[in-house]
Amino acid sequence: MRFTAEQRLDDGVLEREFTLGEIPGILWTPGSASEPAPLILLGHPGGLRKMYPRLVARARHSAAEGYAAATLELPGSGDRPRSASAEQARADLRRALQTGEPLEEIVDRLILPLVEQAVPEWQAALDALLGLPEIGGPVGLAGGVIAIGVRLAAVEPRIAAALLFAGSFVPRSMFEQARQITIPLHVLLQWDDEGNDRQLALDLFDAFGSKEKTLHANMGGHTGVPGFEGEDGNRFFARHLK
C-alpha cells in the first residue's frame, strides 16, 4: 500500500488516497483518535470519483462514531481496465430487464467474475490496512455490491459484522455461501427497487445462516434509502465493533 495524497477535512477527519498495486483506494481516520480505531470497509457499486460525495459522507459519519473507514475501486470501474465480457453482460442485462428475458445466466456472467476478482483484492487491502498503527479490529463491512459482501462475509474471518444493501443481483449459486455466514447481519431492502429482484433478495435473506440477522425493508426505489437507516446502522456496528 502506498499513500499518494492526503488532506484534513473540516471536521478533523484525515483523508488519504492510496494505491494497492495499481488499485486506487481511500482511507479516512478520525481526527481525535487516541487508540487504534475499528475499521469499516465501505462498499460501493464502482467508480470512486463518481461515488466520492456519498462515500466521504459515509466515512465522516463513521469517523464521528470513532471508526476508520476505507474503500477500494472495483475491477472494471473508474480508471481500471475494462472487461469486454463484463461490458457485454451489462448490455445483455439491460436488454433482458426491458424484454423480460431470463436473467440467471446473464447475472452469472456479470457477477461471478467480479466477485472472484474483487474479494481477494479487498482481502489484500485488509491485510495492509490492519498493518497500520492507527487501525485495529474488529472490522465491519458496509454496503456495496451484495454478492461481493456475501463472499467476503463467508470467507473472511476478520469481518465481525456486515451491513448489506440488497440492491443488486446475486447468482443463485452463491446461496450456499450465504448459508455458511454466521456473523451478525443488517440488511437493507428498498421495496420498489427498479433494478433488483425483490423475491430473490428475500430468498437470500432467508438463506443467511446467521443467528442474528435483521431485515429493514423500506418503500421506495434504489436511491430512496431513508436517512434514519444511517443511525440504525451506527447502532448495529456499535453492538459488534466496540
Side-chain angles (χ1 to χ4, degrees), residues 27-197:
L27 169 65
W28 295 270
T29 47
S32 58
S34 58
E35 58 185 26
L39 175 66
I40 296 179
L41 301 177
L42 299 181
H44 59 91
L48 280 182
R49 293 177 183 173
K50 177 181 177 182
M51 293 298 301
Y52 176 81
R54 291 169 61 185
L55 286 166
V56 72
R58 290 166 60 191
R60 294 172 84 153
H61 202 64
S62 297
E65 300 295 323
Y67 308 117
T71 193
L72 197 67
E73 184 63 277
L74 291 184
S77 296
D79 294 328
R80 299 191 64 183
R82 295 296 189 266
S83 162
S85 58
E87 294 295 323
Q88 183 61 57
R90 287 190 187 92
D92 292 344
L93 182 61
R94 287 192 294 268
R95 185 197 67 244
L97 288 169
Q98 292 174 349
T99 63
E101 298 173 46
L103 300 178
E104 187 168 347
E105 182 270 337
I106 302 173
V107 168
D108 285 355
R109 283 195 284 119
L110 177 61
I111 301 298
L112 290 176
L114 174 65
V115 171
E116 292 294 336
Q117 184 174 353
V119 168
E121 293 176 352
W122 277 101
Q123 290 180 295
L126 192 52
D127 290 340
L129 290 163
L130 290 177
L132 298 174
E134 62 268 36
I135 296 178
V139 179
L141 173 66
V145 177
I146 192 171
I148 294 174
V150 169
R151 175 69 63 83
L152 267 173
V155 305
E156 181 46 73
R158 292 172 292 185
I159 294 178
L163 190 161
L164 303 176
F165 178 41
S168 53
F169 290 99
V170 178
R172 285 280 180 181
S173 61
M174 293 188 65
F175 275 45
E176 185 55 40
Q177 292 175 22
R179 295 184 181 94
Q180 299 168 14
I181 294 173
T182 59
I183 62 173
L185 297 176
H186 184 100
V187 182
L188 301 180
L189 171 64
Q190 287 301 102
W191 201 249
D192 306 301
D193 194 331
E194 59 280 2
N196 194 29
D197 184 327

